[in-house]
Amino acid sequence: MEGPIHMDHADEMYTDEDAGPDPRLFVASVARALRILESFDGGRRTLTIAEISQATGLGRSATQRFVYTLHQLGYLRRDGSSKHYRVSAKAIDLALSLIGSHTYAERVAPVLDMLAQKTGETVAWVERDDIDIVILRSIPSKHLSSVNLPVGQRFAALSASSGQVLLAHAPIEEILRVYKNSMVHARERFGLSDNEGILRYFEDVRRRGLSITEKMEDVDSISLSAPVFAGRDEPVGAINISTLKSRFSKLQAERKLSVDLIAAAREASQMVSR
């Protein structure tokens, strides 16, 4: 039988990331509660108990207890008599306060503001979370017609310009793992399927220090991203400029926006390295 956990040895339990969570420290109920909140993604604003149970893989009884607890704590709201739940303003405030204190996003804020003023386009600070990228800071465009990038929004890293400049500096096996685990629509948008072509593409992105992608779904847009480093070979995040094809062609966007973008990324790298 294992003895008690001594705090002077606690740090040793975190050294082997491949071993999985230590059962002596891992609190499963916290993980389940977070799975409940994570089930309310961008496409599912309100959910029933049954829908949450299906999304999380938890049993209905366990789901009901966790939802009740989160509701009592104020992190979920119940919409009248509809039996639908949604994330509350309290939960959103908590998320925004955590994002607001994010070290890198906070430190590069002046660079983002200056870039947004200079280009007039939507500018964002982006970081990778496994196969996704997440918007952690966003400055909207001055134009009435523009790309909207709300904080917290996720995109597939494989097909997004920010994800590509971050993946370009990852090990080969990591790039191929992300490709394999990405959703079908992300792989289709990316366009390449053979390992040699995939790796050649990311080598080119790494060499250029820039990625440009086009989106032609809800709005025809162009996205440009450059990596930001903190004194290491692996980038800590990316700066993104998003514009509309009604203002720039892809070639025009590269010519007119990439110089300022790369300069901003270099300045941000100096700031986060201090």
Side-chain angles (χ1 to χ4, degrees), residues 87-106:
V87 176
S88 70
K90 181 178 180 180
I92 294 172
D93 285 344
L94 174 61
L96 291 176
S97 66
L98 293 174
I99 291 172
S101 62
H102 189 281
T103 304
Y104 292 133
E106 186 175 12

Side-chain angles (χ1 to χ4, degrees), residues 119-157:
T119 63
E121 301 295 342
T122 302
V123 172
W125 172 256
V126 186
E127 294 186 16
R128 185 167 75 93
D129 182 17
D130 195 24
I131 65 171
D132 294 334
I133 55 167
V134 186
I135 308 297
L136 293 181
R137 188 177 289 270
S138 181
I139 298 95
S141 169
K142 67 179 183 181
H143 299 284
L144 292 177
S145 179
S146 61
V147 178
N148 181 32
L149 294 176
V151 171
Q153 187 167 8
R154 288 175 172 265
F155 298 95

Side-chain angles (χ1 to χ4, degrees), residues 132 155-156 158-159 182-191 217:
D132 294 334
F155 298 95
L158 182 68
S159 55
S182 294
M183 300 291 287
V184 173
H185 75 273
R187 295 200 298 268
E188 290 176 346
R189 279 196 63 202
F190 180 64
E217 295 173 2

Side-chain angles (χ1 to χ4, degrees), residues 227-261:
V228 173
F229 301 86
R232 299 183 296 274
D233 291 335
E234 184 177 351
V236 295
I239 296 179
N240 172 265
I241 299 177
S242 292
T243 185
L244 297 178
K245 295 186 76 174
S246 59
R247 285 197 288 276
F248 295 99
S249 67
K250 185 176 180 180
L251 182 58
Q252 288 172 334
E254 181 173 5
R255 287 176 175 173
K256 296 186 178 182
L257 299 175
S258 63
V259 173
D260 290 333
L261 172 62

